[in-house]
Amino acid sequence: MSTAASPGPRQRLLASAQRLTAVQGVGVGVDAILEDASVARRSLYQHFGGKAELIAASLLESAHKDEERYRAALNSGGRDPRRRVLAVFDQLEQTTSTPGFRGCRYVSAELSLTDPDHPAHQVTRSYTERLHALFEKELADLGNPDPAAGADQLLVLIDGVLVLAALRPGSHPAQTVRPLVEQLLDNVASKEPSPVVR
């Protein structure tokens, strides 16, 4: 009978970094991560080179998982682009209403990491660009006249939902912005030039 191998030091460090930064932010101390992961300091430098690289790697792993959650939410809306995007906001309502929700780890990391050369910045910004591409495609399929600008607007609303849900628990911001999302999604008519007033 075979048994699953227990996670090695690298996997334990990643799991601990994800767990602790979700609660304490990216400023969590190295010692706390090492203790939680039950690994020696030597393992951190062997596998990642230092704390900055570990934080970036943990954010990258979270980003892959969160991107898949967005894709799953879109897919839960079926084939209609309008329903697909609205399904994302339905999922955001569930996520942000979960007890203990603490906001967006990517926004938190961007605001906390003051070093412009920190490797985590590239991770968070690339993740945002991939989400933008997801929504831009949905809006293009819907016939939105400017899908890139529409995707920008959706990301502003999503970030606002995630931040406000952390600042005001129980406020249900995903429900609040739903009419705005519907209005954006219904903006499929071609933009007509403004009439010339003579």
Side-chain angles (χ1 to χ4, degrees):
M1 184 175 78
S2 62
T3 58
S6 59
R10 186 179 192 280
Q11 289 73 27
R12 296 204 306 275
L13 281 165
L14 279 172
S16 292
Q18 286 182 305
R19 183 168 50 251
L20 293 179
T21 56
V23 177
Q24 302 179 36
V26 293
V28 62
V30 169
D31 289 340
I33 295 174
L34 294 176
E35 181 178 352
D36 187 77
S38 298
V39 299
R41 187 176 298 268
R42 178 179 69 251
S43 293
L44 169 65
Y45 295 102
Q46 284 178 340
H47 292 287
F48 297 101
K51 181 190 174 185
E53 291 78 12
L54 171 60
I55 295 298
S58 70
L59 284 170
L60 180 61
E61 189 149 309
S62 295
H64 289 318
K65 293 176 183 176
D66 289 336
E67 186 178 345
E68 285 308 307
R69 290 187 184 101
Y70 275 101
R71 291 182 185 275
L74 286 167
N75 291 336
S76 73
R79 300 182 67 179
D80 176 56
R82 188 180 191 278
R83 290 181 180 176
R84 287 167 63 85
V85 174
L86 288 173
V88 169
F89 284 83
D90 292 339
Q91 181 59 52
L92 284 172
E93 169 61 22
Q94 294 181 30
T95 300
T96 57
S97 298
T98 302
F101 176 76
R102 296 184 59 84
C104 176
R105 70 170 66 228
Y106 311 103
V107 172
S108 176
E110 278 293 308
L111 295 176
S112 299
L113 298 170
T114 57
D115 178 2
D117 295 324
H118 195 289
H121 291 303
Q122 182 59 44
V123 173
T124 59
R125 293 167 190 175
S126 294
Y127 167 69
T128 301
E129 288 305 313
R130 292 195 302 274
L131 291 188
H132 186 278
L134 283 180
F135 290 116
E136 185 174 353
K137 180 184 183 304
E138 297 298 329
L139 293 175
D141 290 346
L142 188 62
N144 187 282
D146 192 346
D152 285 340
Q153 292 170 333
L154 286 175
L155 288 181
V156 168
L157 292 174
I158 289 170
D159 284 344
V161 165
L162 296 172
V163 170
L164 194 59
L167 293 175
R168 296 183 62 212
S171 61
H172 301 284
Q175 289 181 359
T176 301
V177 303
R178 206 174 196 277
L180 295 175
V181 178
E182 292 174 348
Q183 182 178 352
L184 187 156
L185 296 174
D186 292 337
N187 181 28
V188 295
S190 297
K191 291 183 177 179
E192 299 291 341
S194 300
V196 176
V197 178
R198 297 188 183 273

